[in-house]
Amino acid sequence: MSVSFSSTSLPFSEASSFAFQRHPHLCSNPHTVASNNFHSVTYRGRLALNVGGGTSLCRRFRGFKLWVLERLNFQFQSPKQPKNIIRFESNLESSGLSNEKGPVSDSSSILRAPDDKITSMDSPSLLQTGLSATPMDVSRKPSLCISVIGATGELAKSKIFPALFALYYSGFLPENVGIFGYSRKDITDEDLRSIIASTLTCRVDHQENCEDKLDAFLRRTYHINGGCDNKYGMSMLNARMEQIEGGSKTNRIFYLSVPQEAVLDVTACLSSTAQTQTGWNRIIFEKPFGFDALSSYRMTQYLLSNFEERQIYRIDHLLGRNLIENLTVLRFSNLVFEPLWSRTYIDNVQVILSEDLTKHPGRYFSGYGIIRDIVHSHILQTIALLAMEPPVSLDGEDIRNEKVKVLRSIRKLEPKDVILGQYKASGGAKVDTCLNGLTPTYFAAALYIDNARWDGVPFFIKTGLGLIKHQMEIRIQFRNVPGNVYRECMGHNMDRAVNELILRDVPDEAILVRVNNKVPGLGLQLDSSELNLLYKDKYNMEVPDSYEQLLLDVIDGDNHLFMRSDELEAAWNILTPILNEIDKENISVELYEMGGRGPVGAYYLWAKHGVRWVED
């Protein structure tokens, strides 16, 4: 049996300085396993590396193995050395030889040239693409590379890069991490660094070595001009990442900060060209995840044809808020709450998200609206986390299994239980010209979960844009005390005497518990007061941005706050009947003033279900 190695040729001008040394004996036998078994020949002006014959299998393989090990441990020369790569295609599998992961595959195994300027034979060379050759310290090869696709966009500049630097500064990223920005702009590494530098800030509660950390982060940030052809661009991205990785085992994360219409093309090119073969690959998508149930299903099937489910992270920055993270902690780590968490004690649940817009959403909302953007992901995910059964563990898949059960149990939405609104253009009575037709900017609804825990408990949604204030909270109202002997001491409004658990994120993060107590003094008068845990008073620390939390979850492989494909489908099934009615113009859209409290119809909806509308 023989082992043959096919040679891969290199341009002679690039490879002529690549010299091979003789190696010492591999074992105690007197035979010399020398590198002269590997000799170069010139063929049609190109240098080719061949393996000599005439020796035994043991000597030839051991000599090859020793040559590989010495090449991988070779001390790199000046960064101005030629950019070389030598690729061997082996038939080791057919000879019964295997590596630590099993039989050697048919794919090529890459041996790095000593200057760490790596190209792929399947990709344009760095010389051809014009990528800059940044000197790399051999001891600082990255174990993690993060690529931001759409690096010059507003989201990347204002959120993604600052979140990555915050993680780097706080020690949650490897010191030698590689950050790659991919865009269609013809800019250099230094140009990208200048663009993002002004948006990077250090923690206010610890600013030690801020400038040093900032410089180190920027030095590890690179730009790739993808041009107009994503397939060619992704091959350049892969080549640049391999160059920086230097042949080490590296994991890769790809953050797609691109328009929805570009997602499929980018993912296809990324899947076939830019994934690493030595570690794991994870890909992050921004919402909305499709326009309707059909488009979302097609997108999901396309993604799953290129990636495995465990690689896909559908990100919604609102789910990275501390309020959401605290839901399961409060429920499952406090005995005082868990026994009360059912229809027996809870009267209703209200999820409120309102925004005061200083500028109009414009073109974005004209296509998607608040239902597809906020309700489909953030609101329904919040309800699922709040209402789910205890998972068997904190593993992401166990939590997502329970969330999808809740979503599948939500009753079909009826138009009579939905209020839609659209804000007026400022200074006039007409609809904002940026919005098309019935595009809603306000949504209120009463949802019911048909299972044993929540049967008959209404879950109220109230979310809108252009309202009087920015507010994000969850209000859990408990039932009245049966046969309350103090009812005559409460005054005429018994509704104000109910106990409430309020989880507030905006304007000030807090946990409030509303209880009844006696007013000090003579006589017997009861008052409803709040036990207040205000985070800014209790914890003297800066709350991380939600993008930091979610990016760290992706790095750690924690996917419980990211929608799985079956969750995505279940959420669309809840909202599709309402979206169909909107398309048929069977649901009226109520106009409301910019800076007001929203449609009046929402007040009637609450009253119809016997719930008091709470206005602070």
Side-chain angles (χ1 to χ4, degrees):
M1 180 184 295
S2 64
V3 180
S4 62
F5 300 87
S6 64
S7 62
T8 302
S9 61
L10 295 171
F12 185 79
S13 60
E14 293 181 347
S16 58
S17 62
F18 195 97
F20 301 102
Q21 303 175 356
R22 293 182 178 270
H23 303 283
H25 299 306
L26 188 63
C27 50
S28 58
N29 65 48
H31 297 288
T32 302
V33 184
S35 61
N36 58 8
N37 286 325
F38 303 91
H39 61 274
S40 60
V41 295
T42 303
Y43 176 68
R44 294 182 180 178
R46 300 175 68 85
L47 181 68
L49 183 68
N50 292 324
V51 180
T55 60
S56 68
L57 171 64
C58 176
R59 290 180 58 197
R60 294 172 64 187
F61 181 72
R62 288 178 178 177
F64 172 69
K65 178 179 179 182
L66 183 60
W67 186 89
V68 169
L69 294 175
E70 291 199 5
R71 290 300 93 195
L72 292 178
N73 293 322
F74 195 92
Q75 294 296 321
F76 292 168
Q77 306 299 323
S78 166
K80 295 183 179 180
Q81 293 291 327
K83 306 171 178 59
N84 299 330
I85 178 172
I86 301 176
R87 184 188 299 268
F88 292 89
E89 296 179 1
S90 64
N91 294 322
L92 297 182
E93 183 177 0
S94 62
S95 22
L97 301 174
S98 63
N99 61 13
E100 61 182 358
K101 295 184 179 180
V104 177
S105 65
D106 292 335
S107 60
S108 303
S109 57
I110 302 174
L111 304 181
R112 309 292 171 182
D115 58 351
D116 198 31
K117 305 301 182 293
I118 302 168
T119 61
S120 169
M121 292 303 176
D122 300 323
S123 307
S125 70
L126 296 182
L127 291 175
Q128 293 170 331
T129 59
L131 296 177
S132 60
T134 305
M136 288 294 297
D137 182 357
V138 64
S139 64
R140 306 303 295 165
K141 296 173 184 176
S143 58
L144 174 66
C145 286
I146 302 174
S147 178
V148 181
I149 315 298
T152 56
E154 189 60 35
L155 176 63
K157 291 187 292 185
S158 63
K159 291 295 184 180
I160 302 174
F161 284 115
L164 290 173
F165 174 66
L167 292 175
Y168 183 80
Y169 179 77
S170 299
F172 290 104
L173 291 182
E175 283 287 334
N176 57 346
V177 66
I179 307 294
F180 299 83
Y182 177 97
S183 75
R184 292 183 173 181
K185 291 190 176 180
D186 187 14
I187 59 176
T188 64
D189 293 347
E190 288 300 326
D191 292 334
L192 177 62
R193 293 164 185 169
S194 298
I195 290 172
I196 67 174
S198 61
T199 67
L200 308 183
T201 57
C202 296
R203 292 279 187 223
V204 296
D205 52 349
H206 56 282
Q207 294 199 13
E208 300 86 357
N209 303 320
C210 181
E211 291 298 325
D212 294 340
K213 284 281 190 179
L214 181 60
D215 291 341
F217 180 81
L218 292 175
R219 284 198 305 271
R220 306 201 68 83
T221 302
Y222 315 94
H223 180 263
I224 293 86
N225 176 13
C228 297
D229 184 350
N230 281 322
K231 186 174 183 180
Y232 181 80
M234 287 298 167
S235 66
M236 289 196 297
L237 172 63
N238 182 63
R240 187 70 186 277
M241 295 175 89
E242 287 185 341
Q243 172 198 6
I244 302 303
E245 291 166 356
S248 61
K249 181 178 180 180
T250 309
N251 302 315
R252 293 181 181 179
I253 294 175
F254 301 90
Y255 196 123
L256 270 62
S257 178
V258 299
Q260 288 292 303
E261 56 268 21
V263 167
L264 297 185
D265 180 57
V266 171
T267 53
C269 299
L270 189 158
S271 172
S272 61
T273 309
Q275 294 194 81
T276 180
Q277 302 301 317
T278 62
W280 50 253
N281 298 274
R282 292 169 185 162
I283 184 167
I284 305 173
F285 298 92
E286 278 283 346
K287 63 181 176 66
F289 311 117
F291 187 79
D292 52 23
L294 180 59
S295 64
S296 177
Y297 173 79
R298 289 174 175 172
M299 176 181 287
T300 296
Q301 295 306 307
Y302 189 84
L303 292 176
L304 292 178
S305 68
N306 290 282
F307 300 94
E308 297 179 21
E309 182 71 61
R310 60 187 175 86
Q311 294 180 273
I312 301 173
Y313 288 76
R314 300 175 178 90
I315 190 171
D316 180 349
H317 73 280
L318 293 173
L319 294 175
R321 308 287 296 187
N322 194 63
L323 167 69
I324 305 301
E325 289 278 10
N326 222 359
L327 283 177
T328 52
V329 175
L330 284 173
R331 278 196 60 187
F332 304 128
S333 68
N334 293 288
L335 184 60
V336 69
F337 293 128
E338 176 57 21
L340 307 179
W341 220 261
S342 71
R343 61 188 297 270
T344 306
Y345 299 101
I346 293 179
D347 181 76
N348 68 85
V349 178
Q350 302 178 40
V351 180
I352 302 167
L353 173 58
S354 61
E355 305 227 19
D356 55 337
L357 288 183
T358 55
K359 59 182 180 180
H360 297 178
R363 181 172 57 90
Y364 174 77
F365 263 91
S366 66
Y368 289 92
I370 199 167
I371 299 177
R372 294 177 171 93
D373 176 50
I374 294 178
V375 178
H376 174 264
S377 177
H378 173 65
I379 299 295
L380 292 182
Q381 284 288 294
T382 300
I383 292 175
L385 284 167
L386 188 146
M388 71 181 185
E389 296 298 315
V392 296
S393 77
L394 292 179
D395 179 76
E397 293 305 319
D398 290 334
I399 294 176
R400 298 205 289 188
N401 289 341
E402 298 303 329
K403 285 195 299 175
V404 76
K405 291 178 184 177
V406 173
L407 294 175
R408 288 173 176 169
S409 299
I410 293 179
R411 188 185 305 171
K412 179 183 176 182
L413 262 178
E414 299 290 341
K416 62 183 177 61
D417 287 330
V418 173
I419 301 296
L420 300 179
Q422 190 179 79
Y423 64 74
K424 300 177 184 179
S426 54
K430 296 183 179 180
V431 176
D432 189 343
T433 55
C434 294
L435 301 171
N436 293 332
L438 299 178
T439 302
T441 60
Y442 182 98
F443 180 87
L447 295 176
Y448 286 88
I449 302 174
D450 291 331
N451 62 20
R453 181 183 290 267
W454 298 109
D455 185 32
V457 177
F459 284 74
F460 293 100
I461 300 169
K462 183 176 71 173
T463 180
L465 301 173
L467 301 177
I468 191 171
K469 63 180 178 181
H470 186 21
Q471 182 182 11
M472 187 183 302
E473 68 180 27
I474 300 169
R475 306 182 79 101
I476 301 168
Q477 292 189 349
F478 294 90
R479 297 188 183 278
N480 288 311
V481 177
N484 190 348
V485 296
Y486 286 102
R487 59 184 177 275
E488 294 180 358
C489 304
M490 296 290 185
H492 66 282
N493 193 345
M494 284 293 294
D495 289 337
R496 295 189 178 276
V498 299
N499 299 130
E500 273 190 306
L501 173 62
I502 305 170
L503 311 177
R504 180 173 295 159
D505 187 81
V506 177
D508 291 315
E509 188 170 2
I511 299 176
L512 313 173
V513 179
R514 190 183 299 277
V515 297
N516 300 315
N517 65 284
K518 178 184 177 297
V519 177
L522 300 176
L524 184 59
Q525 182 181 355
L526 271 60
D527 185 31
S528 182
S529 305
E530 291 178 350
L531 305 180
N532 187 342
L533 168 59
L534 196 61
Y535 276 66
K536 66 180 182 181
D537 294 339
K538 175 66 176 178
Y539 304 106
N540 184 25
M541 61 181 298
E542 183 181 0
V543 178
D545 183 77
S546 57
Y547 277 93
E548 297 175 40
Q549 178 64 58
L550 293 174
L551 282 170
L552 182 59
D553 285 347
V554 175
I555 295 168
D556 292 340
D558 183 355
N559 55 14
H560 80 282
L561 291 176
F562 300 85
M563 294 182 74
R564 202 166 59 190
S565 296
D566 53 353
E567 290 182 82
L568 195 66
E569 181 182 5
W572 280 118
N573 289 339
I574 297 168
L575 298 174
T576 294
I578 297 301
L579 293 173
N580 290 339
E581 293 298 317
I582 293 175
D583 293 339
K584 297 175 183 177
E585 300 186 1
N586 291 336
I587 299 182
S588 60
V589 177
E590 182 180 342
L591 299 181
Y592 61 93
E593 294 286 347
M594 177 76 72
R597 297 186 181 275
V600 177
Y603 290 84
Y604 292 103
L605 177 63
W606 260 241
K608 184 175 72 172
H609 291 271
V611 176
R612 179 175 60 90
W613 178 287
V614 178
E615 288 285 4
D616 292 337

